[in-house]
Amino acid sequence: MTAKLGDKNYIRINPLVRFGIFAGIILLGLTRAPEVIARQSALKAGMVQIEITPDEEGYPHYRGPSTGTHDPLFAKAVVFQQGNEKVALVVGDLLWVERDLSVNARVRIEEQTGIPFQNIIIAGTHSHTSPAYHPNIRELTGTLRPPFDQKENTGEDDSYPQQLEDGIAKAVVKAFEEKEEVALEVLSEEVDDLAFNRRFIMKDGKVITNAGIGNPLIREAEGPTDKELAVLMIKRKKSKYPIGSVSNFSLHADTFGGTAFSADYPGFLAGNLQGHFHKDFVSLFAAGACGNINHIDVTGTRETIKTSSEIGEILSSTIVQSANNFEKVNGTDLKALSRVIYAPIQNYSMEELEWAIQDTGTSPLYVEKAFLERRRKLKIRSLERMRRTEAVSPTIGDQGWKIPLEIQVFQMSKDIAIVGLPGEVFVDLGLAIKENSPYKHTIVVELTHSHIAYVPTEEAISRGGYETINSRLAPGGGELLADTAIALLQEIHQHQ
């Protein structure tokens, strides 16, 4: 179902207070969703999409003032219920999801539906042609932003952040209200020549991101890709009428370009599937681990780079042409499990902070390109704000600062699980989760709940490069996220 944004007034709770309460519950070991034997209960689901395109002309875009709308942006939600167990997955056409947006929306959703706060995954597709709804995004345009704890929006009359929260909450609430008995089918297909590792080890041993097409100094790609296109098809139980799909692929949604709003290739994928099935078909795309993956084949030519439309066409055609390869899911057994971990964040010196605050006119502290210097300064300023607003200070000795991060797992059946992780997760970590999962099909969803930028491997951090300069996590943070996800998958799978 597709609906438009509505306006309502709600009581707001300080997001850090709400998240702190949730983290405390987890520390007490009470976060496991109620142990309900739901095998005899029918699985119900509802899917809804709400348009979240800004109405305001020229509303800030990731690349500056927007110049219009190429295609609409949506928040797309799916709600599952079996017995007393309820979960929700909602993905917006957004660069990422800020912590306050996630917390506020989930509080409202829990109040209106009874879906537990920790059983709701909110993620972004990582579209780079989406609204700059938060100062953390607007800072990427190159403007030095004010302190995080000062209220700074696009103006006193900026209503879009509230409209965005409303849209996300409304999508889940309406999906919950429209639940009906469903049947699930699952597909796993490999798609070649679409996603490429964008970090390269050069002949001099250095690592460069986006080293350039035909660059003779490239020795090899640093890491792998994940070719799997995973699809969960949701149909009405009796008629087998398709309601929508949850699809997952590891590829940066930075293929459209320009300053007009666009959902990037997930939008083209959705349009194609609606054309094939019906106009109300909901195509919910959740980005797989793709922090170091893009669509550029450096061994080809500029002419061979696929457009957003072509990528959407390839993915949708794979789904449509693989109709006979979908497996029916028998014996659904819905469960949810989550955990808050305290991940180490990078340190900085007072000299670095003073250097970072002065955005221009300072002598370089590092020998690097101007673009990387700007990103390093941005990272240091972000870390300082994290210390004041989100992070946990050291308690003894020389311990580092840590940030609370949420890892979630939904079990759909004994063979299917969905994992939610924050940040732009390196594909290596996503593959490690899949390879060590006890489930036949494991869908890894990145960019949930908190902005922590890139989540590299410890080895990648040792080599340096663009993504590691941007990352907020200290070495080992990425492995901690992956290990926690694997442990949750194994724990929830044991309780069959």
Side-chain angles (χ1 to χ4, degrees):
M1 174 181 174
T2 304
K4 293 186 178 179
L5 211 57
D7 293 325
K8 288 187 178 180
N9 294 320
Y10 293 88
I11 297 174
R12 299 175 65 84
I13 298 176
N14 184 300
L16 294 180
V17 171
R18 180 62 180 83
F19 189 81
I21 294 171
F22 175 52
I25 292 173
I26 286 178
L27 288 177
L28 291 173
L30 300 178
T31 54
R32 173 181 293 281
E35 288 290 349
V36 177
I37 305 301
R39 291 179 178 84
Q40 303 303 317
S41 303
L43 179 69
K44 295 182 178 180
M47 295 193 78
V48 167
Q49 60 182 27
I50 300 291
E51 185 172 350
I52 56 172
T53 314
D55 295 327
E56 180 184 335
E57 183 178 353
Y59 189 85
H61 182 289
Y62 165 70
R63 295 187 174 93
S66 62
T67 54
T69 299
H70 177 274
D71 55 279
L73 310 177
F74 291 95
K76 302 180 180 182
V78 59
V79 169
F80 294 103
Q81 180 170 358
Q82 189 168 21
N84 292 330
E85 191 74 279
K86 295 177 284 190
V87 304
L89 168 64
V90 54
V91 180
D93 291 317
L94 301 169
L95 190 64
W96 62 65
V97 175
E98 286 285 338
R99 189 187 295 269
D100 56 354
L101 172 62
S102 168
V103 170
N104 288 333
R106 286 193 284 167
V107 167
R108 289 171 54 176
I109 292 165
E110 182 176 28
E111 289 174 347
Q112 296 179 64
T113 66
I115 303 173
F117 180 92
Q118 65 270 22
N119 286 15
I120 305 165
I121 293 176
I122 302 180
T125 61
H126 203 45
S127 168
H128 284 54
T129 42
S130 59
Y133 69 91
H134 192 279
N136 281 339
I137 302 176
R138 294 195 290 277
E139 187 178 24
L140 291 173
T141 64
T143 303
L144 178 62
R145 52 163 287 172
F148 179 89
D149 51 0
Q150 291 183 9
K151 184 173 177 58
E152 286 289 335
N153 291 315
T154 55
E156 293 182 0
D157 297 329
D158 180 18
S159 61
Y160 181 70
Q162 183 61 54
Q163 291 176 348
L164 176 58
E165 180 189 315
D166 292 345
I168 290 171
K170 183 177 180 181
V172 179
V173 172
K174 288 186 71 64
F176 178 79
E177 293 171 346
E178 297 183 6
K179 299 188 310 296
E180 57 185 307
E181 290 191 16
V182 297
L184 302 182
E185 297 179 0
V186 65
L187 174 73
S188 176
E189 290 285 339
E190 286 197 353
V191 181
D192 293 316
D193 301 324
L194 200 56
F196 304 90
N197 198 299
R198 70 182 192 180
R199 285 172 54 90
F200 296 91
I201 300 175
M202 311 303 286
K203 290 180 178 177
D204 63 2
K206 294 182 178 180
V207 170
I208 294 180
T209 297
N210 296 329
I213 294 173
N215 189 335
L217 300 180
I218 293 174
R219 190 178 80 188
E220 60 185 350
E222 182 192 43
T225 61
D226 184 352
K227 300 180 180 181
E228 183 185 24
L229 170 62
V231 183
L232 193 62
M233 188 68 68
I234 302 162
K235 298 181 176 181
R236 288 177 179 158
K237 186 172 184 178
K238 291 184 178 180
S239 67
K240 299 301 185 286
Y241 183 79
I243 299 171
S245 63
V246 176
S247 56
N248 179 254
F249 189 67
S250 295
L251 175 62
H252 242 72
D254 186 15
T255 68
F256 189 76
T259 53
F261 290 127
S262 172
D264 207 278
Y265 73 83
F268 290 93
L269 164 65
N272 292 339
L273 292 180
Q274 286 178 328
H276 176 77
F277 292 108
H278 55 84
K279 65 180 180 62
D280 291 323
F281 184 90
V282 179
S283 169
L284 188 159
F285 177 85
C290 60
N292 51 344
I293 302 296
N294 68 11
H295 65 300
I296 299 174
D297 179 6
V298 298
T299 65
T301 65
R302 291 194 177 277
E303 289 69 29
T304 62
I305 298 176
K306 294 180 175 63
T307 65
S308 304
S309 176
E310 291 170 333
I311 295 169
E313 175 62 31
I314 290 170
L315 294 177
S316 60
S317 294
T318 301
I319 294 171
V320 171
Q321 294 171 9
S322 302
N324 294 331
N325 295 335
F326 274 89
E327 303 172 19
K328 293 182 179 179
V329 179
N330 298 312
T332 56
D333 185 12
L334 186 64
K335 294 179 182 178
L337 191 60
S338 63
R339 185 168 297 159
V340 169
I341 62 170
Y342 291 83
I345 58 175
Q346 295 182 27
N347 198 6
Y348 58 84
S349 67
M350 290 307 299
E351 179 187 14
E352 286 177 312
L353 180 58
E354 292 173 2
W355 170 75
I357 291 174
Q358 303 299 320
D359 201 43
T360 59
T362 58
S363 300
L365 287 185
Y366 298 88
V367 179
E368 57 194 1
K369 293 182 178 180
F371 173 72
L372 293 180
E373 180 180 275
R374 290 196 299 273
R375 283 294 189 261
R376 187 185 296 274
K377 287 185 173 184
L378 184 152
K379 184 261 299 283
I380 293 170
R381 297 195 298 264
S382 175
L383 288 168
E384 189 273 336
R385 291 192 295 272
M386 282 182 172
R387 286 190 180 187
R388 286 187 285 115
T389 60
E390 297 179 272
V392 178
S393 61
T395 54
I396 58 173
D398 59 353
Q399 289 181 343
W401 287 72
K402 297 180 180 180
I403 188 168
L405 299 174
E406 203 172 344
I407 315 298
Q408 294 160 286
V409 171
F410 297 164
Q411 174 184 282
M412 305 306 301
S413 74
K414 65 181 179 62
D415 290 327
I416 305 169
I418 298 172
V419 177
L421 298 170
E424 297 181 57
V425 182
F426 268 35
V427 70
D428 318 62
L429 298 171
L431 287 170
I433 293 170
K434 290 183 177 183
E435 290 166 2
N436 290 279
S437 171
Y439 294 88
K440 180 180 178 181
H441 303 283
T442 302
I443 296 173
V444 178
V445 179
E446 68 166 18
L447 288 165
T448 66
H449 304 311
S450 306
H451 169 51
I452 54 172
Y454 291 96
V455 182
T457 63
E458 191 166 7
E459 183 178 9
I461 290 177
S462 71
R463 288 175 172 154
Y466 166 73
E467 294 86 356
T468 64
I469 287 174
N470 270 274
S471 177
R472 288 16 171 202
L473 296 184
E479 283 76 8
L480 177 60
L481 264 67
D483 289 345
T484 303
I486 293 167
L488 290 175
L489 286 163
Q490 293 174 344
E491 181 178 347
I492 200 170
H493 190 264
Q494 289 173 358
H495 293 81
Q496 299 293 339

